[in-house]
Amino acid sequence: MSSKQSELKTIFDHVVAFPAIVVYWMLRKLPEKLTRTICRSIAVICFHAGIRRKVIDANLRIAFPEMNAEAKSHVVRDIYSNIGEFLGEWLVLPELGSKLASRVQVENGDVYQKAIDQGKGVLLCSAHLGHWEILAATIADRFEPRLSIIRHALGNARFDRWFTEVHEAMQFGDIIKGRSMLEIFKRLKRKETVGMLVDQSGRGSGIWIPFFNRPTSFHRGPGMILSKLRCPAVTVFCIPGHDGNWII
């Protein structure tokens, strides 16, 4: 990319990102219940517009081939509703501050603490199940070692920086995929914690195993890191509890 093209791309990224960031800050400052209501309404619009519907339908056919059309329709609607709830949680998360601790129950935290005490760094493995950013914010708040999470770079550079800024406000850092392995090793060597969402496709470089009776590619990364550094790994999830609370 030439310098002129790079300059135009930077301008374009800022123009596209600016209104979205403004809306984000406006929603963040609204009363929490109102923000949640708006996010649920956005989810309803996405449901009726069919956004990502083909992906959801395909996954349901794989996981629940026996499910009838009526039951599937209810599940799909609930999926969109949950996405709206999670979006609302994400928007207000930086504003919660000390309130977050009262809304998240950590179970078996001693398992993670024992892993920390080994002094080798910790690989924290989770998935796109529940709310992983509440998980990251809680871990960063309640435990001492620095936490960094591995994520994909966003196509819009301004969005990408903004995402990192939001995460830093919640006291955890980002490691960008594609240039991550050396950085992962550095942080684990510093006895820090690195978080990975390990449920996405490993594509051609992954390990193929049967999953729902289909050959599925899983990432080699966690196994490679553990075999090289011999650091402990902890599996953890953040799932909804009752009355807007969460359980880790």
Side-chain angles (χ1 to χ4, degrees), residues 90 93-94 133 136-138 140-141 165-172:
W90 179 73
L93 189 53
E133 282 179 300
T138 301
D141 178 62
E165 291 164 5
V166 171
H167 289 169
E168 289 288 352
M170 293 187 279
Q171 305 303 314
F172 62 90

Side-chain angles (χ1 to χ4, degrees), residues 48-169:
H48 288 292
I51 296 173
R52 301 285 288 178
R53 179 64 183 267
K54 289 182 179 179
V55 175
I56 294 172
D57 286 341
N59 288 337
L60 285 176
R61 282 196 299 272
I62 293 169
F64 304 105
E66 74 288 349
M67 185 178 290
N68 63 45
E70 182 180 357
K72 188 178 295 183
S73 177
H74 285 298
V75 171
V76 170
R77 186 180 290 272
D78 286 344
I79 288 171
Y80 281 96
S81 177
N82 283 338
I83 291 172
E85 288 284 346
F86 290 179
L87 176 60
E89 290 279 0
W90 179 73
L91 286 169
V92 303
L93 189 53
E95 299 296 320
L96 290 178
S98 59
K99 294 180 182 178
L100 179 62
S102 65
R103 292 170 57 168
V104 181
Q105 175 186 343
V106 177
E107 297 183 352
N108 302 316
D110 59 307
V111 174
Y112 178 47
Q113 187 60 56
K114 287 176 182 177
I116 292 170
D117 293 342
Q118 292 184 37
K120 298 179 180 180
V122 181
L123 189 63
L124 205 63
C125 297
S126 191
H128 293 84
L129 173 68
H131 206 310
W132 67 264
E133 282 179 300
I134 286 180
L135 166 63
T138 301
I139 293 294
D141 178 62
R142 298 196 189 184
F143 295 90
E144 184 59 36
R146 167 77 170 175
L147 169 67
S148 301
I149 56 99
I150 302 169
R151 68 170 179 84
H152 286 287
L154 303 179
N156 184 304
R158 182 63 191 97
F159 269 134
D160 198 65
R161 290 198 305 275
W162 168 60
F163 234 66
T164 295
E165 291 164 5
V166 171
H167 289 169
E168 289 288 352

